Amino acid sequence: MAVEVILPKVDMDMATGQISRWFFKEGDAVRQGDVLFEIETDKASMEIDAPASGILRNITSKEGVDIPVGHAVAWIYAEGEDTGVAARPAAEAKADKPESSSAESSSQDRSAQAAPAVRDMPVQAGAVRATPLARRLAREAGLDLSGVFGSGPQGRVVKADVEATIAGGGAKAAAPTTATAAPAAAPAAKPMSDDAVLKLFEEGSYELIPHDNMRKTIARRLVEAKSTVPHFYLTVDCELDALLGLRKQLNDAAPVRKTEKGEEPAYKLSVNDLIIKALALALKEVPDANVSWTEGAMVKHAHADVGVAVSIPGGLITPIVRRAEEKSLSSISNEMKDLAARARTRKLKPEEYQGGTTAVSNLGMFGIRDFAAVINPPHATILAIGAGEQRAVVKDGEVKVATVMSVTLSTDHRAVDGALGAELIGAFKRLVENPMGLVI
């Protein structure tokens, strides 16, 4: 019995995916666990294993094409199993099929009457797990597979299930709900149409680069965040000299270890590593700000899972340092280096960038003095880090020079009020300016 290969849902927001590469071709022998194909989700590339051993047949999905989650992309047949009937188009099969059993004849008679209705149902039926033969029989009988009980592995509908449903008079033609439901979906509001935008520029003075899935996801989520989350912003200046001094001491004291590249320090802390720790400890001090908004309740988190925005070709991704309040600075540093490296090659697992309770976005290395970041739901806060620079400050009535960094906290006002946000960013500032608290 053929085993269906479907496009799996590997990302919380994933509705469609693209196969970026097939590792086998039609007719190849595969073993269970072989990497069958690679899919490109909105934020990562993932390898999908073959669910069974056998011969790969009926590949229905090409590389680089959007495919709905749950859609069958191929089947794996056992050695010697007949694949011809399922692989051929239905019209061809009917033209040369000799008269056979009464059941087959009955199915063909019904197909002549039900053909128009069948063409309306693939969207709904595509999400049902079924063998190719069961799909063909259901299609010919005008049977909606979603109403058939599947007795096969993992609820897969097999030939016997379809025949039993037909015999029991339980067949029902696919309801044309998709055709009538479509107009109800309102198109997304657009400030300007594509044509209106392009008319503003001289023809031939530009090129059009199609959006990939990551860019589409970033655009959709940012529009959702800015249009549905009521943002407000709090900015403070933090003196960095003490933190920079501590960072130097800790890096100088790092033990040396032997690696394939020779001896190197066991860790090398960045300013960002200390900021991650400071934000996590600030959330521990102000737990009411470590929350997520839902319409039903406030989600109060037990740990500070800090996402860190990482720029990658074509967009950005936010890998998460979980339980950052419990981890040492060296652990955070090494974990962050690993996450960032794998993020740039799109090798992160979904659980490594989904969720989190807050985030850090640092543009200081680009010389940006201050900015306000957009909240990434379900986070209630995000901290935007500007560049550390020498500025004139007044201390005890005298003008002195200090290294100062501006940070801006973006806050979801539904979950965190102004005073609570001020308490959180105040705790962060205190930890940055008195950094010994980060190592105790």
Side-chain angles (χ1 to χ4, degrees), residues 151-330:
S151 63
Q154 300 179 358
R156 182 177 293 109
V157 177
V158 298
K159 174 186 175 184
D161 299 327
V162 175
E163 291 177 338
T165 303
I166 294 172
K172 57 179 181 179
T177 53
T178 54
T180 56
K190 293 182 179 178
M192 293 180 70
S193 68
D194 291 0
D195 287 342
V197 172
L198 295 179
K199 285 180 180 177
L200 297 175
F201 305 100
E202 183 181 354
E203 190 172 351
S205 66
Y206 55 81
E207 63 174 326
L208 297 178
I209 303 172
H211 303 307
D212 62 12
N213 284 345
M214 173 176 286
R215 181 51 54 187
K216 291 176 184 176
T217 299
I218 291 172
R220 175 176 55 79
R221 288 185 60 83
L222 289 181
V223 168
E224 288 176 356
K226 289 293 282 187
S227 59
T228 63
V229 177
H231 286 60
F232 73 93
Y233 309 96
L234 301 169
T235 301
V236 295
D237 291 335
C238 303
E239 292 190 21
L240 281 182
D241 295 294
L243 183 137
L244 294 174
L246 176 65
R247 170 176 170 259
K248 184 176 186 309
Q249 289 182 42
L250 294 173
N251 282 338
D252 290 345
V256 175
R257 63 183 179 185
K258 293 183 179 179
T259 68
E260 295 178 352
K261 300 178 181 178
E263 292 187 345
E264 62 181 25
Y267 59 83
K268 186 175 182 180
L269 304 179
S270 68
V271 171
N272 215 42
D273 298 331
L274 281 78
I275 287 172
I276 294 169
K277 179 75 173 185
L279 179 56
L281 290 179
L283 284 170
K284 185 178 179 182
E285 286 187 24
V286 189
D288 288 345
N290 194 25
V291 294
S292 293
W293 170 266
T294 70
E295 294 299 329
M298 193 74 75
V299 183
K300 191 171 183 178
H301 303 288
H303 299 284
D305 299 336
V306 182
V308 181
V310 175
S311 178
I312 63 176
L316 60 86
I317 192 169
T318 310
I320 299 164
V321 180
R322 300 193 185 274
R323 297 191 173 206
E325 83 282 5
E326 297 179 346
K327 294 180 177 174
S328 67
L329 288 169
S330 59

Side-chain angles (χ1 to χ4, degrees), residues 345-404:
T345 56
R346 297 196 177 194
K347 296 300 182 184
L348 289 179
K349 300 173 183 175
E351 58 267 26
E352 292 177 314
Y353 60 81
Q354 292 181 348
T357 67
T358 188
V360 170
S361 180
N362 190 341
L363 292 180
M365 66 286 286
F366 298 105
I368 301 300
R369 180 168 180 160
D370 63 78
F371 68 104
V374 180
I375 292 169
N376 182 28
H379 303 168
T381 57
I382 183 171
L383 200 61
I385 308 296
E389 58 185 7
Q390 289 193 327
R391 300 181 196 171
V393 298
V394 178
K395 293 184 178 180
D396 300 326
E398 297 181 5
V399 177
K400 297 184 178 179
V401 176
T403 305
V404 178

